[in-house]
Amino acid sequence: MNLRLIGSRKRIRGVTVMCGRETGNDPAFAKAAHDLGQTLAEDEDGIIGYFGGGQFGLMGQFATGMIGHNGKVVGILPHFLKEVEKPLDCIEVIWVDDFPQRLAHFRDSGKVDAIVSLPGGVGTDAEHMEFATRDKHDQLGLPNILVNVEGFFDYRILDLRRRAEKGFLWEKPANRLFVADSVHDVLPMIRSFYANEPVQNIFGVSLRLAAAA
């Protein structure tokens, strides 16, 4: 990976953010998406945010959070979703033919230094698991972070833990699966990862549902 350093630390160039095209029924989801955009935009590294390209739902909240604070956001959008997602006129859009091409841009190690998932539907889940699968075969190597807004990913975390307990999740990709309780934890986690500082992986997270597992 081509790392650019500032002083003794790595400069974070880009972060891929996956989230729903719906807003969901909890205002905390929209706030988290907007706040993550603002946090990335205001960071001194000049981070570029890559996302699904749509103007609606959490995608739109993330984009406006970045744009409203002078950040740069890039949408990766298949041509056939142009009329469905209707990207904002003020953002850069990379048009692709299909979802595999979108995922290739999302994980481009020449531009992206981390993968972050906010609440979303089955598409968001599928993309998150796609990255975890590629990490199993050493094709990714990026920190893969779930932002567990209001416990949204509690059951996903318990599911992944169970897969590991039953021998279906390898240690190497598991060590790059992380959970942030807040969007404000995301950048510190990414920086700790690249500085080789201790970061609890998905199995070190304290869950409200853990007692019921």
Side-chain angles (χ1 to χ4, degrees), residues 151-178:
F152 183 84
F153 288 114
D154 280 352
Y155 284 104
R156 162 59 59 85
I157 295 163
L158 290 173
D159 175 61
L160 289 169
R161 287 180 173 181
R162 181 171 177 80
R163 291 172 191 270
E165 290 168 1
K166 299 301 181 181
F168 291 105
L169 183 62
W170 292 7
E171 180 179 359
K172 189 175 291 185
N175 286 340
R176 289 190 284 259
L177 286 171
F178 305 105

Side-chain angles (χ1 to χ4, degrees), residues 67-85:
I67 295 166
H69 295 84
N70 300 313
K72 181 178 180 180
V73 64
V74 178
I76 315 296
L77 196 61
H79 291 287
F80 60 85
L81 289 179
K82 182 176 181 178
E83 295 305 317
V84 176
E85 303 291 359

Side-chain angles (χ1 to χ4, degrees), residues 90-164:
C90 57
I91 70 168
E92 177 183 344
V93 177
I94 297 175
W95 294 101
V96 296
D97 292 331
D98 50 34
F99 287 121
Q101 288 185 13
R102 170 192 262 184
L103 289 170
H105 281 279
F106 277 169
R107 66 174 183 267
D108 185 347
S109 61
K111 300 177 181 177
V112 175
D113 295 310
I115 308 293
V116 178
S117 295
L118 292 168
V122 293
T124 301
D125 286 350
E127 289 167 345
H128 173 257
M129 293 305 293
E130 166 74 11
F131 293 128
T133 301
R134 288 187 176 276
D135 224 359
K136 174 180 177 180
H137 300 288
D138 286 331
Q139 293 181 327
L140 190 60
L142 303 176
N144 191 350
I145 302 170
L146 294 171
V147 185
N148 197 25
V149 183
E150 296 296 313
F152 183 84
F153 288 114
D154 280 352
Y155 284 104
R156 162 59 59 85
I157 295 163
L158 290 173
D159 175 61
L160 289 169
R161 287 180 173 181
R162 181 171 177 80
R163 291 172 191 270

Side-chain angles (χ1 to χ4, degrees), residues 14-32:
V15 172
T16 289
V17 175
M18 300 178 298
C19 54
R21 73 175 301 275
E22 307 295 341
T23 306
N25 56 15
D26 189 328
F29 300 155
K31 184 177 188 304

Side-chain angles (χ1 to χ4, degrees), residues 33-50:
H34 183 276
D35 288 354
L36 180 59
Q38 178 177 346
T39 298
L40 297 185
E42 293 179 342
D43 189 82
E44 62 182 331
D45 282 355
I47 298 169
I48 298 174
Y50 296 89

